[in-house]
Amino acid sequence: MTPPAPAPAARAPGRSPRPAAPAAGPLLLGVRHHGPGSARGVRAALDAGNPAAVLVEGPAEADALVALAADPAMRPPVALLAHAVDDPGRAAFWPLAAFSPEWVAIRWALDRGAAVRFIDLPATHTLATTDPTRDDHAAGAADDGPRIDPIAELAATAGYEDPERWWEDVVELRGDGDPTAPFEALAEAMGALRETYGHGGHPRDLVREAYMRLRLRAARKEFGDAVAVVCGAWHVPALTLRTTVAADRALLKGLPKVRTELTWVPWTHRRLARRSGYGAGVDAPGWYAHLFGAPDRPVERWMTEAARLLRAEDHPVSSAHVIEAVRLAEALAALRGRPRPGLDETTDAVRSVLCEGSDVPLALVRDRLVVGDVLGRVPDGAPAVPLQRDLTRRQRTLRLRPEADERDLDLDLRKDTDGERSRLLHRLRLLGVTWGTPAAGRAGTGTFREAWRLRWEPELHVRVAEAGVWGTTVEGAATARARSLARTAAGLADITALAEQCLLAGLADALPAVMRALADRAALDTDVARLAQAFPALARALRYGDVRGTDTAALAEVATGLVERICVGLPPACAGLDADAATAMRARIDGVHLALGLLPDAGATADRWAGVLRRLADRDRVPGVLRGRAARLLLDEGRIGDDETAPLMSRALSPGTPPADAAAWIDGFVGGVSGGGLLLVHDERLLRLVDDWLTGVSAEAFTGVLPLLRRTFSEYEPGVRRTLGELAARGPGAARGPEPGTPGFAPAPDRERADAVLPLLHLVLGRETTP
């Protein structure tokens, strides 16, 4: 298929004359960033022209790093990372994939001994702008007039609604003919567009193009016309303009500067699929990589990979499925008038044949193949901030290789290596480098095990650079960061959370400063709710300190003081609360109750806490949800028996109690707590009390309490709800025998029968039976 004709356009008044390419001169290759068709064309054009120097669009300071691209350890996708020395968070990326034309040009030049130069505006100016990550396709600024998408304009001229489809048809899917043919046509088309719309972009484009012309002039002085330029197709017409050196330098005069550092960092296909930085934002990097790398029969190879992936996930896919899918993709391409099957056709064929019409397995193909989790690699000799070098060393020592795929990591803190891994991950989290996230259900349990979910994102290199202001090692930086947070923390809960983080991260040098701040804040804070909110983190910190062998004596003193103040202040603080405040306080009480069990010596403290709960359960001025929760906690701890629980419920559900308050008591007693429904299933008296109260609620009041009761009982497991419904339908006691109790349960525990399971448990746990 021949390239499209350029968009017709009349020259607008006041516009610059349309440049004409000189008869002889440098080889100008206008490309689309991350386009495999452009990359193949660039390679063929360079083979034919054999230039002595290759100029590539990218920050000029990267000339010093280009030799690293020849290192065998370098594997794309990678990116040039530039960051401001004094403000590492101010950073910009220039990603390059294996199918990026710029990467192909760099490797071609290095393999053949040709010179490589980067010709775009230096990062020292780019990072000094307001938005250093603006790419060539970002929306234009308000003061810059309309920003056009040249690919979309050319696609519309050719009658295409989808620019991506047009580009695939005219460039990516071209299998025959001269692969360099599109360059001349694209240059002419871009010239027509620029003639119609002016520069059509951000004012920075004019500055960038002036710098590119200066670099091109310098290269021609050194190498003559044996120079090839690989840049965005939009910039090609600007490089042929006949301007003076003085005019170009005038555009660059007075540009702001900032001191910068550059390096190579690994990148991912998944990150390429998100728009950020130079030329990123391709929708299907995995598909593009396949088109570029497949030596022949790309559709057949793609279907084979999709079938292999689906079979690995236990989907029944056979060779016959692959053959039929290829035929369907080719038939769809013919019906749609496309030169070859593209991503749309292959996706439709995979859905219809391999996935049997289901989008569920198709989502797997899109995630693993169309996008992919390929992570690049850079050589150890690449420049890096000291903190990054220390992190790399620790990763290698602990055998924690950064990976783009999300993976789970289970740690046994009693093992030295796992303990060091845990400390490293916690230190990085303290520094804002969230490589690992504690897995749900395991974080903060205070046990000997931790579960993490790891995933390395390219942006974490910037976070490491930012954290470098705190120190040159991970431990030193995390210690300095913790001390700073201790001085600036806003509340007591923040300080206790920080103390927990320090213990998890093993930052013994930071603990004194954190403990001083904690003691000061605890002494001044009189709000019981905030004390109760802060206490659980403190208790977890004590447990973790005990597990990890950390001295937590000072922490224990603060925790003891907090418990005393909570026990004294909680009953009056719970009186007269409205519904929302009472619900929030219930969460605080639950947190304190669970945290008390983590304290090393909780005997006397538990007795004191039980007395507080008893006062809450007995006080009428305390909201029903808190009285109900206090009664339930006492029952679970064995502090009160069934004989005491029933009168408490009976009083709470008496006819004189407002229905809303009674419903809140039920919610506190059996809602939001493990086993709440089973308690009613196995205790006939409590179920009868609830049933009698519920049937006695008037119709008007029932409408008001229904939402709360519905929320309470909806938290139960389906089996529990079904059993309660059956018992309620039969009526409490209907299924019981002459003796009270639950069918299948004796009136009292049989210790001899219970002990019979102990030998089996010892065998399962690998422990010897104790006599």
Side-chain angles (χ1 to χ4, degrees):
M1 181 173 180
T2 57
R11 193 169 69 199
R15 300 292 186 185
S16 301
R18 180 167 158 188
L27 179 62
L28 302 181
L29 304 177
V31 301
R32 189 185 190 195
H33 304 304
H34 313 313
S38 293
R40 287 194 302 269
V42 163
R43 185 164 55 194
L46 293 177
D47 284 338
N50 196 28
V54 176
L55 311 184
V56 179
E57 184 179 337
E61 300 97 331
D63 286 353
L65 302 175
V66 72
L68 288 171
D71 194 308
M74 179 81 87
R75 184 186 67 192
V78 293
L80 285 166
L81 164 62
H83 66 86
V85 173
D86 298 328
D87 182 11
R90 189 174 231 1
F93 295 98
W94 287 261
L96 298 171
F99 51 84
S100 298
E102 297 87 352
W103 178 259
V104 170
I106 291 171
R107 288 307 308 259
W108 183 94
L110 292 175
D111 291 344
R112 289 160 178 77
V116 182
R117 304 283 189 273
F118 287 94
I119 61 171
D120 205 347
L121 195 67
T124 186
H125 300 306
T126 303
L127 295 181
T129 61
T130 303
D131 184 6
T133 62
R134 180 183 297 277
D135 63 53
D136 286 347
H137 309 293
D143 60 349
D144 187 42
R147 175 85 178 196
I148 70 165
D149 181 349
I151 303 300
E153 292 291 329
L154 295 176
T157 302
Y160 281 73
E161 294 182 359
D162 184 1
E164 294 294 329
R165 187 165 182 170
W166 174 82
W167 182 264
E168 271 200 337
D169 284 353
V170 301
V171 178
E172 305 303 343
L173 300 180
R174 290 175 56 89
D176 302 320
D178 182 6
T180 65
F183 292 123
E184 184 177 349
L186 283 173
E188 186 177 356
M190 294 301 172
L193 288 174
R194 291 181 72 114
E195 181 180 352
T196 302
Y197 296 102
H199 65 84
H202 196 273
R204 188 165 60 92
D205 284 349
L206 299 179
V207 177
R208 294 173 58 204
E209 289 162 354
Y211 190 83
M212 290 181 187
R213 287 192 293 269
L214 292 174
R215 295 280 285 181
L216 178 56
R217 287 191 187 98
R220 295 182 71 179
K221 283 184 179 180
E222 184 177 355
F223 300 100
D225 285 341
V227 174
V229 179
V230 179
C231 65
W234 178 256
H235 303 300
V236 169
L239 298 184
T240 63
L241 285 174
R242 294 184 177 88
T243 62
T244 64
V245 173
D248 286 340
R249 287 179 176 170
L251 288 174
L252 301 173
K253 188 176 181 180
L255 289 179
K257 290 184 178 182
V258 64
R259 195 159 59 96
T260 61
E261 290 181 352
L262 270 76
T263 187
W264 290 102
V265 296
W267 206 251
T268 67
H269 274 183
R270 193 171 301 280
R271 191 64 184 84
L272 277 173
R274 287 179 287 174
R275 182 170 299 284
S276 175
Y278 166 86
V282 289
D283 296 327
W287 167 252
Y288 279 177
H290 172 78
L291 287 181
F292 182 71
D296 55 18
R297 307 174 71 87
V299 177
E300 290 85 345
R301 293 176 184 274
W302 179 261
M303 293 300 180
T304 303
E305 286 299 317
R308 183 179 292 115
L309 171 63
L310 292 173
R311 280 198 296 266
E313 298 294 332
D314 295 329
H315 291 279
V317 179
S318 66
S319 300
H321 285 92
V322 174
I323 296 171
E324 185 61 29
V326 172
R327 288 175 177 170
L328 178 57
E330 291 174 343
L332 289 172
L335 288 172
R336 296 170 180 175
R338 309 198 68 182
R340 285 187 177 185
L343 181 59
D344 290 343
E345 288 71 36
T346 56
T347 299
D348 289 343
V350 168
R351 178 194 287 110
S352 299
V353 180
L354 303 188
C355 300
E356 298 181 341
S358 173
D359 283 340
V360 176
L362 181 64
L364 181 67
V365 174
R366 283 175 170 158
D367 183 68
R368 301 277 186 86
L369 292 184
V370 177
V371 177
D373 278 319
V374 178
L375 174 66
R377 188 175 62 218
V378 300
D380 294 338
V385 296
L387 182 62
Q388 178 66 64
R389 288 197 292 270
D390 181 67
L391 173 58
T392 302
R393 181 182 61 82
R394 297 294 299 158
Q395 289 170 333
R396 189 180 299 111
T397 301
L398 298 176
R399 299 186 297 280
L400 277 179
R401 188 163 57 92
E403 296 177 352
D405 292 328
E406 187 173 88
R407 67 185 182 99
D408 293 328
L409 178 68
D410 291 318
L411 300 178
D412 185 344
L413 303 182
R414 294 167 295 184
K415 299 178 180 178
D416 293 340
T417 300
D418 281 1
E420 287 297 324
R421 289 173 172 174
S422 172
R423 282 186 279 273
L424 175 64
L425 294 172
H426 281 294
R427 289 168 183 173
L428 291 175
R429 282 176 59 81
L430 189 59
L431 290 170
V433 183
T434 53
W435 175 23
T437 304
R442 290 289 189 92
T445 57
T447 66
F448 284 102
R449 306 196 70 84
E450 279 185 353
W452 291 83
R453 187 160 291 115
L454 303 183
R455 184 172 193 163
W456 186 266
E457 295 280 1
E459 293 90 337
L460 295 180
H461 289 283
V462 177
R463 300 289 176 265
V464 173
E466 287 181 294
V469 301
W470 298 106
T472 58
T473 66
V474 175
E475 181 178 3
T479 298
R481 175 66 171 156
R483 289 170 177 166
S484 175
L485 290 174
R487 291 191 297 268
T488 59
L492 182 60
D494 297 330
I495 294 288
T496 54
L498 180 60
E500 181 183 14
Q501 284 181 295
C502 289
L503 285 170
L504 294 173
L507 302 177
D509 292 342
L511 274 177
V514 175
M515 293 310 305
R516 285 194 299 271
L518 177 58
D520 293 342
R521 296 294 175 87
L524 296 175
D525 204 326
T526 59
D527 189 310
V528 175
R530 287 200 294 266
L531 296 177
Q533 181 184 9
F535 177 70
L538 204 58
R540 290 193 301 267
L542 281 170
R543 169 60 65 90
Y544 269 110
D546 180 60
V547 169
R548 297 164 186 263
T550 306
D551 184 8
T552 57
L555 206 60
E557 293 180 7
V558 177
T560 302
L562 282 184
V563 171
E564 290 294 326
R565 295 171 63 189
I566 292 171
C567 289
V568 171
L570 188 60
C574 291
L577 297 178
D578 60 20
D580 292 339
T583 301
M585 186 61 79
R586 177 177 72 171
R588 303 282 188 270
I589 291 174
D590 286 345
V592 172
H593 184 79
L594 292 174
L596 285 173
L598 299 177
L599 296 180
D601 184 12
T605 304
D607 293 338
R608 179 79 180 273
W609 177 246
V612 173
L613 294 177
R614 190 58 188 256
R615 289 198 296 275
L616 292 178
D618 290 335
R619 287 193 177 184
D620 293 336
R621 293 185 64 245
V622 173
V625 66
L626 299 183
R627 287 187 283 117
R629 181 49 53 93
R632 177 59 189 272
L633 295 177
L634 289 170
L635 176 64
D636 289 346
E637 293 295 322
R639 299 286 179 167
I640 60 174
D642 294 343
D643 294 338
E644 296 177 86
T645 305
L648 287 174
M649 178 179 282
S650 179
R651 189 176 69 187
L653 305 183
S654 63
T657 303
D661 198 26
W665 195 96
I666 294 175
D667 181 48
F669 187 75
V670 297
V673 63
S674 176
L678 288 174
L679 182 66
L680 296 180
V681 169
H682 296 308
D683 195 311
E684 178 185 358
R685 290 173 301 170
L686 298 183
L687 180 59
R688 183 185 295 116
L689 287 171
V690 174
D691 187 64
D692 290 344
W693 170 79
L694 192 57
T695 55
V697 175
S698 65
E700 297 80 5
F702 184 78
T703 304
V705 301
L706 179 59
L708 178 60
L709 293 175
R710 183 180 180 87
R711 184 192 69 187
T712 301
F713 288 95
S714 67
E715 296 174 350
Y716 299 160
E717 294 291 333
V720 174
R721 292 201 303 269
R722 183 172 58 253
T723 303
L724 286 174
E726 293 171 353
L727 292 176
R730 292 197 300 265
R736 309 288 191 257
E739 297 295 329
T742 304
F745 289 83
D750 188 332
R751 182 174 294 276
E752 184 177 351
R753 293 182 63 191
D755 289 344
V757 78
L758 291 179
L760 177 60
L761 285 178
H762 285 300
L763 180 63
V764 170
L765 297 176
R767 298 173 55 188
E768 295 183 2
T769 307
T770 1

